[in-house]
């Protein structure tokens, strides 16, 4: 304990007067405030969005009607935006700020101010967009597909969220660049490196959606142009949309690679492997968006095929990650004396919520990933396209793998930032929250997958479809979804309770920010893995190959375009 | 240093687990493919 404290005090002052903590084991106090602001917004979004999820499953079961003339799509828009966009982006940026401050050192005053500017731009944008949804002017779901037309303030608000996120990401990346300058020739801290990879991917990907909004949706909703090219908007959206899912996932991988090994008492299996897999995710997250448009006319089959092939490359870094996790666990288990091929499994810290929740997340990613490969298989996509299977799929990937990892992280990160402790009681409640989530999700997502294979559509409220025989098959699964969804909502109540405790009520103390070390026998990390120029050039080349000709085709053969519609 | 390999550095379980993962993915895919062939 004393060793830790003296280490914390190693503070030097550079000539600008900013204090700079060297080899800190803690997040700087001021950076902690910035991180906490983001994390609080994330959990407010979880509560409100979760409530909407509950309403959706109840409505879809056929046993409940929305009161006060609230529309189903209004609720679904709130759910998608708050959980898919706000919860994720805010938690990620908060976590990343803390991770950079912990591993590269405290942000400079300028960098921190930049972070706050980004936070407020995002928050103003979010409030503006939320207002339009509440006024029922923007029930266009979180994908805002044309020709549905929302109020322009909704589009502008979401644009501000993206622009703000760029600024927060910039602040984090500047701190990494500063570290590289101050430590020439050395391998950078793994977490900071991963943060920068994720921010770079986010920036390149969001250029697509920014172009969609600025050049098409905004002028169209403002009445400057009458018609827009629907296929072009969708193509630009999905250029961004697939990378969005990796923007969610990579921070979870940061926790798995760099933090979970420490929690289990082990080491990072290989630093080089971790960096390589991040660079591969960077490459294969963007030039693949067309796999969401496989049933769409207007894109040539050849280019769909090219992007499907690029999509399947993501298997490589995914299995690298799985291998690396198994190896960390096995090495640690054997160190503790485990025997037999799988004996090490028993030696993992099952009653530590910081481990258990990310671990459940890893397990959920096995069926999640397998389902994803079905979705991405060009012809087989017809089997599940626009069915509730897809909803079942991403409630495993983002709404279990990603968020359970985030919750397991929040349970130690929040007290670390507030100077409190995760008590045994909160740890145990956290375990309950994870188990409830798993049970609820197995039921809800399982029922969604099966009903989807029977053809049940997604994005639909309760309907008997005029007494159709096929539609009656779906109803029992919708009731099952309501049961699972209700259990999930109870889990959310537990989570909010724990977070409130950790923010304001838990006993004062010091909670560790765990960072793992690299295993002794591991090879030195090749400098190439940190050469952003090389990977950037490959990335741009892949994007140009995958998108240039399809985009030229779309623009050259563009039809008259569509006016805006408001069906709600 | 050259001989840092300790007796507990055994990654058999990791190898089998990763293979198991691959096999699971292939099975799920094959089942869905079967459904696809039946229907389309
Ligand atoms: C109480 C927990 C939850 C319940 C009961 C729930 C339920 C649902 C249901 C029933 C739908 C589909 C409705 C339809 O297609 O008509 C849906 C969609 C969705 N959910 Fe959840 N969900 C929950 C938590 C989450 C979480 C934690 C996330 C993300 C982190 C999430 C993200 C989404 C997204 C992005 C959609 C798609 C919205 C759209 O199609 O526009 N959900 N949810
Ligand atoms: Cu995708």
């Amino acid at each position: 304990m004393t060793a830790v404290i003296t280490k914390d005090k190693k503070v030097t002052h550079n000539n600008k007067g900013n204090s700079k903590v060297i080899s800190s084991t803690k997040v700087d106090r001021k950076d902690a405030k910035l991180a906490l602001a983001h994390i609080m917004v994330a959990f407010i979004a979880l509560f409100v969005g979760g409530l909407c999820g509950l309403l959706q499953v109840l409505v879809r079961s056929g046993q409940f009607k929305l009161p006060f003339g609230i529309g189903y799509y209004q609720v679904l828009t709130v759910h998608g935006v708050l959980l898919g966009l706000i919860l994720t982006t805010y938690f990620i940026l908060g976590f990343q700020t803390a991770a950079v401050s912990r591993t590269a050192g405290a942000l400079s005053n300028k960098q921190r101010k930049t972070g706050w500017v980004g936070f407020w731009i995002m928050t103003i944008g979010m409030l503006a967009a939320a207002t339009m949804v509440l006024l029922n002017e923007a029930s266009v779901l979180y994908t805002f597909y044309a020709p549905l037309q929302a109020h322009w303030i909704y589009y502008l608000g979401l644009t501000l969220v993206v622009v703000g996120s760029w600024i927060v990401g910039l602040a984090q990346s500047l701190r990494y660049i500063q570290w590289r300058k101050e430590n020439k020739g050395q391998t950078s801290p793994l977490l900071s490196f991963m943060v920068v990879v994720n921010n770079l991917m986010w920036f390149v990907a969001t250029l697509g959606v920014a172009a969609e909004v600025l050049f098409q949706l905004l002028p169209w909703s403002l009445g400057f142009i009458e018609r827009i090219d629907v296929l072009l908007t969708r193509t630009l959206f999905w250029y961004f949309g697939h990378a969005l899912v990796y923007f969610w996932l990579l921070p979870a991988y940061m926790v798995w690679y760099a933090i979970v090994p420490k929690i289990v008492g082990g080491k990072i299996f290989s630093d080089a492997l971790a960096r390589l897999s991040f660079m591969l995710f960077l490459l294969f997250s963007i030039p693949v968006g067309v796999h969401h448009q496989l049933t769409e006319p207007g894109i040539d089959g050849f280019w769909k095929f090219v992007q499907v092939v690029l999509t399947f490359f993501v298997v490589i870094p995914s299995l690298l990650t799985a291998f690396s996790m198994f190896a960390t666990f096995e090495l640690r288990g054997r160190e503790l004396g485990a025997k037999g091929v799988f004996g090490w499994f028993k030696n993992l810290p099952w009653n530590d919520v910081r481990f258990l929740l990310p671990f459940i997340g890893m397990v959920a990613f096995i069926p999640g990933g397998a389902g994803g490969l079905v979705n991405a298989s060009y012809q087989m996509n017809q089997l599940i396209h626009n069915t509730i299977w897809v909803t079942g799929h991403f409630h495993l990937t983002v709404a279990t793998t990603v968020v359970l990892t985030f919750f397991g992280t929040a349970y130690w990160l929040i007290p670390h930032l507030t100077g409190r402790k995760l008590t045994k009681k909160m740890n145990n409640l956290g375990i309950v929250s994870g188990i409830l989530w798993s049970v609820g999700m197995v039921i809800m997502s399982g029922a969604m997958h099966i009903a989807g294979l029977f053809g049940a559509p997604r994005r639909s409220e309760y309907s008997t479809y005029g007494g159709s025989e096929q539609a009656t098959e779906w109803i029992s699964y919708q009731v099952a979804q309501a049961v699972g969804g209700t259990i999930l909502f109870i889990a959310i109540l537990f989570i909010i309770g724990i977070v409130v405790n950790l923010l304001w009520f838990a006993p004062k103390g010091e909670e560790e920010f765990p960072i793992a070390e690299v295993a002794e026998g591991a090879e030195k990390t090749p400098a190439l893995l940190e050469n952003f120029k090389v990977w950037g050039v490959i990335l741009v080349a892949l994007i140009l190959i995958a998108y240039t000709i399809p985009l030229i085709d779309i623009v050259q053969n563009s039809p008259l375009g569509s006016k805006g519609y408001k069906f709600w | 240093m050259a001989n840092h390999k300790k007796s507990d550095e055994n990654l058999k379980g990791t190898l089998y687990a990763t293979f198991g993962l691959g096999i699971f993915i292939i099975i799920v895919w094959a089942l869905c493919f079967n459904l696809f062939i039946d229907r389309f």
Side-chain angles (χ1 to χ4, degrees), chain A residues 31-42:
Chain A
D31 296 344
K33 288 219 173 78
L34 177 60
L36 270 174
H38 286 89
I39 292 172
M40 282 195 222
V41 176

Side-chain angles (χ1 to χ4, degrees), chain A residues 327 330 334 341 377 379 453, chain B residues 8 10 13-14 21 29 36 39:
Chain A
E330 179 165 12
R334 292 197 186 283
V341 180
S377 300
Q379 293 82 351
L453 289 177
Chain B
D8 61 352
N10 167 349
T14 299
L21 198 65
W29 192 90
F36 170 73
R39 286 192 189 168

Side-chain angles (χ1 to χ4, degrees), chain A residues 237-429:
Chain A
F237 181 86
W238 282 113
Y239 164 92
F240 149 79
H242 180 77
L244 171 67
V245 313
Y246 272 88
F247 177 68
W248 299 333
L249 193 60
L250 289 188
Y253 280 16
M254 294 177 201
V255 175
W256 297 1
Y257 271 115
I259 292 171
V260 167
K262 170 79 174 184
I263 295 173
V264 303
K267 297 270 163 69
I268 297 174
F269 177 67
S270 159
D271 178 89
L273 183 147
R275 285 178 209 251
L276 174 66
S277 84
F278 264 62
M279 283 306 193
L280 293 177
F281 282 124
L282 171 69
L283 297 187
F284 298 118
S285 292
I286 301 174
V288 297
V290 167
H291 69 218
H292 292 264
Q293 301 176 280
L294 291 174
T295 59
E296 247 156 88
I299 301 175
D300 191 81
F302 174 76
W303 294 104
K304 289 180 179 170
F305 181 72
V306 167
Q307 295 212 12
V308 162
V309 171
L310 286 171
T311 302
F312 272 76
F313 273 108
V314 88
V315 171
I316 300 169
S318 304
L319 287 180
L320 284 179
T321 304
F323 180 87
S324 180
M325 290 303 115
F326 287 134
T328 297
F329 297 155
E330 179 165 12
L331 288 176
R332 175 61 181 159
R334 292 197 186 283
E335 208 173 76
L336 294 174
K339 296 269 164 337
V341 180
F342 292 115
W344 42 276
F345 208 72
K346 286 196 287 267
N347 291 16
L348 296 172
W350 296 109
N351 49 17
D352 186 340
V353 72
R354 303 173 306 159
F355 164 74
L356 183 68
L357 265 57
F359 183 85
I360 298 173
M362 293 175 197
V363 174
F365 208 62
I366 297 172
L373 291 177
V374 172
N375 304 344
S377 300
Y378 196 166
Q379 293 82 351
M380 265 155 77
N381 181 267
Q382 294 173 67
L383 193 64
I384 50 80
H385 198 91
N386 275 348
T387 71
I388 197 81
W389 156 293
V390 176
T391 315
H393 162 72
F394 63 69
H395 280 82
L396 284 181
T397 51
V398 66
T400 304
T401 300
V402 171
V403 300
L404 280 191
T405 301
F406 288 177
F407 299 156
T409 302
Y411 292 163
W412 57 259
L413 181 58
I414 294 176
H416 177 88
L417 298 175
T418 54
R420 294 175 188 275
K421 281 210 71 79
L422 172 68
T423 56
K424 187 90 194 113
K425 188 168 158 218
M426 287 302 133
N427 179 75
N428 294 346
L429 284 178

Side-chain angles (χ1 to χ4, degrees), chain A residues 46 49-57 60 72-73 76-77 79-81 83-85 87-88 140-143 248 388 391 394-395 398-400 403 407 437 441 444 448 457-461 481 484-490 492:
Chain A
L46 173 69
L51 194 60
C52 292
L54 179 66
L55 295 176
Q56 286 152 217
V57 286
R60 287 169 46 84
Y72 182 77
Y73 289 108
L76 189 54
T77 303
H79 182 77
V81 170
L83 296 176
L85 304 178
L87 161 71
T88 47
V140 294
L141 307 183
Y142 82 109
T143 45
W248 299 333
I388 197 81
T391 315
F394 63 69
H395 280 82
V398 66
T400 304
V403 300
F407 299 156
W437 195 281
M441 196 54 90
M444 183 174 96
M448 284 173 163
R458 67 181 284 206
R459 296 184 155 177
S460 58
E461 68 172 301
Q481 288 162 38
T486 307
I487 300 174
L488 281 167
F489 185 70
I490 297 171
I492 290 180

